[in-house]
Amino acid sequence: MSNQFGDRIKLLREESQLLQRQVASQLDMDTSMLSKIESGDRKAKKNQITQFAKVLKVNADELLTLWLADQLIEVVEGEYLALKAILVAEEEVKYNAKKKK
Amino acid sequence: MSNQFGDRIKLLREESQLLQRQVASQLDMDTSMLSKIESGDRKAKKNQITQFAKVLKVNADELLTLWLADQLIEVVEGEYLALKAILVAEEEVKYNAKKKK
DNA sequence: TATTGACTTGACAGTTATTGTCAAATGTAT
DNA sequence: ATACATTTGACAATAACTGTCAAGTCAATA
C-alpha cells in the first residue's frame, strides 16, 4: 500500500535526528501511534499535519498534499480503472475551480 | 457535493422509462435507498454496480469509473491542494502500473 | 380538492470500521 | 546481558455507516 506521507515524515525525522519518542511527545501521541503512522498502518489526523510540519521544519502544504494523495490512492488501489477515474475526478475539480471564480 | 454516479444512473433510468420501484426491486433494495443513491445521499455498494449496469443496459466500466471518481472527489473536496494531490496520486498510479509489468 | 402513485426525507437500531492505548515482541547498539 | 528505540497485536471505546420504516412532499388525474 502507498504511504507517501509516512515515508516522508519518517525520513524527515531521521534527517533531523529525532527519536519517535521526541516527535510523538510534541504531538501528544503514543510512540506506537507514530510508528504506525510512519509505516502507513494508521493515518494521521488532518489537524496533526500542521504540527508535524512545525516539528519537522517543513512546509505544511507538502505534507498535506502527500496525506491527501495517500487517501486518493487508497480509493483506487487495485482498480484497473484507477487512472481513468483519476482523470474524471481531475476534470471535475478543475471545473469546480473555474466555476467558483 | 459531487454525484456523478447518482446523476448518471438517474438519467439512464429516466431514459429507460423505468420507475425507481422497478429498478430497486431488481437490485433487491428499498426505493428509499435507490432514491438516496441517485441523489448522492448514500453510495451504492461496489457489487451493485454490475447490477445497475445490467438493468440500465450500460457498460459497467463506465459506472465504476464514475463511482470511483465520486469517492476521489470526496477526499479532496474543498482542499486548495486538491489538484496537486490528484497529480501526485496520478503519478503514483502510473508508476505502479509500470512496475507491475 | 380528494386520491393515487412516485419519490424524498428523517430517524432509528444494528452493524461495521476506526480510534487510542497497553503490553509484549523485536530490533539495535554498547 | 542491558538499555533504549521501534514495532506489533489485541482490546475496549468510540465513531461512521447500513438498511429499513414511517411519514413527508410532489404531480397528475378524477
Side-chain angles (χ1 to χ4, degrees):
Chain A
M1 181 201 136
S2 170
N3 182 31
Q4 304 210 33
F5 179 81
D7 290 347
R8 185 79 184 108
I9 62 169
K10 177 164 194 172
L11 184 64
L12 287 168
R13 180 178 61 80
E14 289 170 346
E15 283 175 355
S16 305
Q17 311 225 54
L18 293 168
L19 298 174
Q20 283 186 348
R21 168 167 57 77
Q22 301 176 290
V23 173
S25 74
Q26 290 204 62
L27 303 215
D28 190 34
M29 64 168 70
D30 202 313
T31 67
S32 77
M33 196 67 226
L34 179 53
S35 170
K36 285 167 186 170
I37 289 170
E38 284 186 354
S39 72
D41 185 49
R42 297 287 178 93
K43 66 184 176 193
K45 288 165 144 186
K46 198 180 173 194
N47 64 28
Q48 292 173 324
I49 295 176
T50 321
Q51 302 175 265
F52 272 116
K54 197 169 289 176
V55 175
L56 300 173
K57 299 193 187 344
V58 71
N59 192 315
D61 282 1
E62 181 202 333
L63 295 185
L64 178 54
T65 302
L66 297 178
W67 184 84
L68 289 170
D70 279 345
Q71 289 175 77
L72 290 176
I73 287 163
E74 194 181 4
V75 168
V76 295
E77 193 147 64
E79 300 285 349
Y80 68 102
L81 290 169
L83 208 51
K84 198 172 271 192
I86 288 179
L87 294 178
V88 171
E90 190 177 324
E91 287 312 309
E92 168 95 4
V93 168
K94 282 179 182 167
Y95 174 75
N96 284 342
K98 205 178 282 181
K99 208 174 54 178
K100 205 172 145 190
K101 275 195 240 176
Chain B
M1 181 199 139
S2 171
N3 181 32
Q4 305 210 28
F5 179 82
D7 290 347
R8 187 80 183 104
I9 62 168
K10 177 163 193 175
L11 185 64
L12 287 168
R13 179 178 61 80
E14 289 170 344
E15 283 175 354
S16 305
Q17 311 225 51
L18 293 169
L19 297 176
Q20 284 186 346
R21 167 166 55 79
Q22 302 175 290
V23 173
S25 75
Q26 290 204 63
L27 303 212
D28 191 34
M29 63 168 69
D30 201 313
T31 66
S32 76
M33 197 67 225
L34 179 53
S35 170
K36 284 168 187 170
I37 290 171
E38 284 186 353
S39 73
D41 185 48
R42 296 289 177 90
K43 65 184 173 193
K45 289 165 142 185
K46 199 182 174 192
N47 63 27
Q48 293 173 327
I49 295 175
T50 322
Q51 303 175 265
F52 271 117
K54 196 169 293 174
V55 175
L56 300 173
K57 301 191 184 346
V58 73
N59 193 315
D61 281 2
E62 182 202 332
L63 296 185
L64 177 54
T65 302
L66 296 178
W67 184 83
L68 289 169
D70 279 345
Q71 288 174 78
L72 291 174
I73 287 164
E74 194 180 4
V75 168
V76 295
E77 192 147 66
E79 299 286 348
Y80 69 103
L81 290 169
L83 208 51
K84 198 172 270 188
I86 288 179
L87 294 178
V88 171
E90 189 176 325
E91 286 311 310
E92 169 96 3
V93 168
K94 283 180 182 167
Y95 174 75
N96 285 341
K98 206 178 283 182
K99 208 173 54 177
K100 205 172 146 191
K101 278 196 241 184

